[in-house]
Amino acid sequence: MKDVIEIIFKKNGSAWIHPQQGEDLLIEVAGKGLGKQLAAFCVERGLGITSLILYLDEDLLYFKKFQLPLKTANLKEAVGYQLSLLAPFAEPCLHSFTAVRKTEAYDVLLYAIQAGQVESMVEDLLAGGFQVTAVFPESQRYVSGKLKKTKWALLLGDQSPKMLSFEGNQLQDRVLCRTGPSFEDVITFSGAEIVFSSGRPEDDRFQQLNTIEKTGGKQFNLLPASYRRPDFFRMILIVLVVLNILAAISVAGIKGYQVWSRSKSIEAEITSILPQVKETEALRVREKSLEKSITRIENLGRNFDLIRFLEKLTTVLPKTAYLDQIRMDKKTGAIHIQGFTENISMLTKKLQKLGDTTLKSTRRRKNKTYFHVEISRK
Amino acid sequence: MINFSFLTGRIDKKRLFMVVLALLLILNIGRLSLGYYQNQKEEVENRIDLLNQYRKAVVMQPQLKKRVAQLEKRSEQIDRYLFSGSSVEEISSAMQILLQNKVADAGLEPESIRPMRKGANVKPGEIADLVIKMRLVGTLDEFVDFLANLYRSSELIKIETFSLKPYKGGLKISLDVKGFYHLAQPDS
């Protein structure tokens, strides 16, 4: 649902468009008092709307299409200069233009109107308690998003209509026709695929204006800057974007600073603790070295207790046994005993007390048994 | 397949392209920033781990000092088991003198006491050994006295092998003993 009232200003009055019903209510208002009448109209219809969009009849507007060189440094200044040369007004005027860069030059479309004419309308409406948001040429009212990729034309006015050719949302040209042109003339001149007409032509190939799904154009706003309401939505949007960016930067900055400060404090602590760490490392190295050295010495081994062995051997050896040799094997550490006895079985039995005894050899000679016994050390 | 033509028909392609590029740029900057932040954070975490290890090491330092002191004491004690000298010849001589004295103290008669030299070079600080071959004559009691004396010695002299044979009412004793030594560090 629209929350603005559209007003089309014509030479002989103005048409108010009801925001819900869409009806065009043509009211002829001469001189002052438009604002008050509109206020009364709103009260009568129960409309609590104060925003207005004004559309100016193409007959009220001066239009010019011209070209400017591509090297033009400041288009606004150049258009202003051209306007001062071309405009048929003596007094100050309001203007709005579009410039499309082409291969050879800028195509400039210019609308202009005497400033006093618009200002008096706006003042009158402001006095009625309304807020004018924009002032457009009437053709902008019929711009449709549905025709975005289409070349189309618009015939406004009955007696000497104005033919406006569009490509999508972009106005291409406006031509003043002496008489109502034929459909073929319009197609040939504008290259349009669809032609809309405000009148009631006999040729049914013209389409009625009320068949356009109007979305409204945004070009050629002729409302004086002093009356323009600040675009709060845009401002809020910009502020929000800026705040978001600042918040994102702040978050990133805070996170970065936290990491940086933590890193710095850790580095400081590492630096302070490092001498002690080096000392500890040196102690560890010393510990390993000492352990290794001690282990090596301890692994050298102990002496076999030969005294105890000889003592035991003397004790356990039968009195009938005689020894020729006692020898310790260098490799195995086993003790080899060689001698002779009268009773070998008693000898071996007794020698078992000294360790694992192995009888290596025996030999009988002269009524004696010569033996070779090995006693392994446990 | 989803048809997006209804979107492209309504939206200005140039603007859409610019918006997509801007979004991609923002996403890429965000991704890079996040990656940088993660790297920094990981680095800090690694440094924290390192610091914790250092702290643990420092906490252990008093115990470690105590342990090293004990080991040094033990090392000094067991170093006494080893012969020490500036050269192998000096050590060999000291060993032979020690053994000669112990043989004489026990009353044994030495036939020969001679060292078996090894060819390998010994570096200062390394533990090496030297075998000494002994040929002795005496009684069993004298030999036992010698052994007792040898075992009481502060230096470690290990009996590698021995043989005892009867000889002229006593014993003929062959002994291979091994002494351990380390060369003293040369004065710098």
Side-chain angles (χ1 to χ4, degrees):
Chain A
M1 192 172 74
K2 286 184 182 178
D3 54 358
V4 292
I5 296 174
E6 294 176 344
I7 300 175
I8 304 168
F9 278 95
K10 300 180 181 296
K11 277 185 176 173
N12 55 347
S14 57
W16 307 343
I17 290 86
H18 193 287
Q20 282 102 44
Q21 295 164 7
E23 66 180 296
D24 290 8
L25 186 68
L26 187 63
I27 298 189
E28 290 186 19
V29 180
K32 302 280 180 183
L34 176 65
K36 285 177 184 171
Q37 286 193 38
L38 186 61
F41 170 78
C42 288
V43 171
E44 185 188 321
R45 299 293 177 105
L47 299 171
I49 297 169
T50 56
S51 293
L52 306 175
I53 296 177
L54 307 188
Y55 291 101
L56 303 176
D57 193 315
E58 293 287 331
D59 289 338
L60 298 172
L61 295 165
Y62 170 75
F63 175 85
K64 185 72 181 172
K65 181 179 181 180
F66 56 94
Q67 289 188 324
L68 284 173
L70 289 176
K71 289 180 180 176
T72 308
N74 189 331
L75 278 173
K76 202 173 178 183
E77 273 182 18
V79 170
Y81 178 71
Q82 289 290 325
L83 182 66
S84 65
L85 296 176
L86 300 169
F89 316 120
E91 58 183 281
C93 64
L94 300 168
H95 72 280
S96 181
F97 69 95
T98 61
V100 179
R101 189 186 172 92
K102 295 286 173 72
T103 51
E104 291 172 356
Y106 286 106
D107 275 355
V108 181
L109 301 180
L110 173 72
Y111 270 105
I113 189 169
Q114 286 167 302
Q117 213 171 339
V118 175
E119 283 167 4
S120 65
M121 288 179 207
V122 173
E123 285 292 344
D124 201 2
L125 290 164
L126 288 176
F130 294 97
Q131 176 70 48
V132 179
T133 57
V135 178
F136 295 116
E138 189 188 354
S139 58
Q140 287 296 306
R141 185 172 177 248
Y142 306 106
V143 169
S144 171
K146 295 278 180 187
L147 300 168
K148 197 170 181 183
K149 295 289 168 187
T150 314
K151 283 188 174 181
W152 56 286
L154 185 65
L155 282 175
L156 290 175
D158 293 331
Q159 298 302 319
S160 52
K162 291 179 175 59
M163 186 187 75
L164 297 109
S165 56
F166 288 84
E167 190 167 336
N169 295 339
Q170 298 288 326
L171 180 66
Q172 300 296 309
D173 202 356
R174 188 185 90 163
V175 179
L176 182 65
C177 307
R178 295 287 178 201
T179 54
S182 67
F183 185 80
E184 283 76 14
D185 290 343
V186 175
I187 294 293
T188 308
F189 189 82
S190 65
E193 300 161 33
I194 308 168
V195 182
F196 295 94
S197 175
S198 62
R200 297 183 182 278
E202 292 175 0
D203 193 335
D204 57 4
R205 287 177 293 178
F206 287 108
Q207 298 198 22
Q208 294 296 313
L209 270 183
N210 55 15
T211 60
I212 300 179
E213 289 184 39
K214 297 185 279 289
T215 52
K218 302 287 180 191
Q219 292 179 314
F220 309 108
N221 188 356
L222 292 160
L223 184 67
S226 56
Y227 293 101
R228 289 192 188 186
R229 197 169 47 175
D231 191 345
F232 292 113
F233 180 75
R234 187 190 166 109
M235 284 165 66
I236 289 166
L237 205 66
I238 289 168
V239 168
L240 283 175
V241 167
V242 169
L243 284 176
N244 270 313
I245 290 168
L246 284 176
I249 291 169
S250 304
V251 167
I254 288 165
K255 290 275 179 191
Y257 176 74
Q258 280 174 345
V259 169
W260 177 78
S261 62
R262 183 94 177 106
S263 172
K264 202 178 169 185
S265 68
I266 288 163
E267 287 303 325
E269 203 170 341
I270 286 174
T271 310
S272 69
I273 210 171
L274 207 57
Q276 287 175 283
V277 173
K278 281 182 179 171
E279 195 183 339
T280 308
E281 285 301 312
L283 282 169
R284 281 195 195 283
V285 170
R286 179 77 183 135
E287 183 194 21
K288 295 277 173 201
S289 162
L290 285 168
E291 277 175 349
K292 195 178 170 186
S293 168
I294 290 166
T295 309
R296 278 176 67 191
I297 294 171
E298 284 177 343
N299 286 341
L300 294 175
R302 290 169 171 233
N303 258 320
F304 170 56
D305 192 352
L306 192 53
I307 297 171
R308 187 174 292 274
F309 178 79
L310 289 172
E311 191 185 346
K312 279 186 182 175
L313 182 64
T314 312
T315 310
V316 300
L317 204 64
K319 290 189 176 174
T320 54
Y322 299 89
L323 301 184
D324 284 335
Q325 187 181 16
I326 303 172
R327 178 173 61 84
M328 186 167 81
D329 190 275
K330 193 175 180 179
K331 286 184 180 171
T332 61
I335 307 292
H336 293 261
I337 299 171
Q338 287 169 286
F340 59 88
T341 182
E342 290 174 2
N343 190 343
I344 187 71
S345 60
M346 191 169 67
L347 177 83
T348 50
K349 191 178 175 183
K350 291 207 169 185
L351 287 180
Q352 292 287 343
K353 293 176 184 174
L354 297 174
D356 291 335
T357 307
T358 312
L359 191 60
K360 301 289 280 188
S361 67
T362 55
R363 185 162 50 90
R364 184 86 182 161
R365 197 177 63 173
K366 291 180 183 177
N367 212 22
K368 291 172 184 171
T369 305
Y370 286 82
F371 62 88
H372 178 190
V373 175
E374 184 187 286
I375 302 167
S376 53
R377 287 154 53 189
K378 291 175 182 173
Chain B
M1 193 165 161
I2 303 166
N3 185 5
F4 289 101
S5 59
F6 69 95
L7 272 178
T8 52
R10 284 186 169 200
I11 302 166
D12 185 355
K13 278 182 185 169
K14 272 186 185 172
R15 284 191 180 184
L16 183 70
F17 185 64
M18 293 300 286
V19 167
V20 169
L21 280 182
L23 280 174
L24 281 173
L25 184 68
I26 289 166
L27 286 174
N28 273 324
I29 290 169
R31 191 171 59 88
L32 286 172
S33 306
L34 198 66
Y36 178 76
Y37 173 69
Q38 294 287 357
N39 285 343
Q40 292 293 311
K41 207 174 161 187
E42 204 171 308
E43 203 172 307
V44 168
E45 279 165 7
N46 289 340
R47 298 299 281 173
I48 289 170
D49 288 346
L50 186 69
L51 181 63
N52 287 336
Q53 284 177 11
Y54 282 177
R55 280 174 180 158
K56 279 181 190 170
V58 170
V59 166
M60 297 290 286
Q61 202 184 48
Q63 277 181 292
L64 200 60
K65 273 183 180 169
K66 201 173 168 183
R67 165 95 176 132
V68 168
Q70 284 172 348
L71 287 171
E72 276 176 344
K73 197 173 172 183
R74 172 87 181 126
S75 180
E76 273 174 29
Q77 284 172 348
I78 61 172
D79 265 1
R80 290 181 200 148
Y81 296 158
L82 307 177
F83 289 92
S84 182
S86 59
S87 68
V88 180
E89 286 76 18
E90 187 186 325
I91 290 160
S92 170
S93 171
M95 272 192 205
Q96 285 179 75
I97 289 166
L98 180 81
L99 289 169
Q100 187 74 48
N101 289 339
K102 290 189 187 300
V103 166
D105 289 349
L108 290 167
E109 191 182 322
E111 283 188 349
S112 68
I113 298 174
R114 57 192 171 87
M116 303 295 287
R117 295 283 303 278
K118 286 182 180 176
N121 289 327
V122 179
K123 290 174 186 171
E126 279 186 1
I127 297 170
D129 58 67
L130 183 69
V131 175
I132 292 180
K133 282 189 177 293
M134 300 170 73
R135 297 288 176 266
L136 309 169
V137 175
T139 64
L140 183 63
D141 287 343
E142 287 168 348
F143 180 57
V144 168
D145 280 350
F146 170 74
L147 289 176
N149 204 353
L150 194 70
Y151 290 168
R152 277 198 298 271
S153 172
S154 61
E155 289 84 2
L156 175 62
I157 298 173
K158 203 174 168 188
I159 296 171
E160 288 281 285
T161 180
F162 73 91
S163 77
L164 303 174
K165 285 182 184 174
Y167 178 70
K168 290 180 183 177
L171 293 171
K172 198 175 187 75
I173 305 157
S174 297
L175 269 175
D176 285 5
V177 295
K178 190 189 270 182
F180 298 94
Y181 67 94
H182 59 67
L183 294 176
Q185 299 278 356
D187 293 335
S188 55

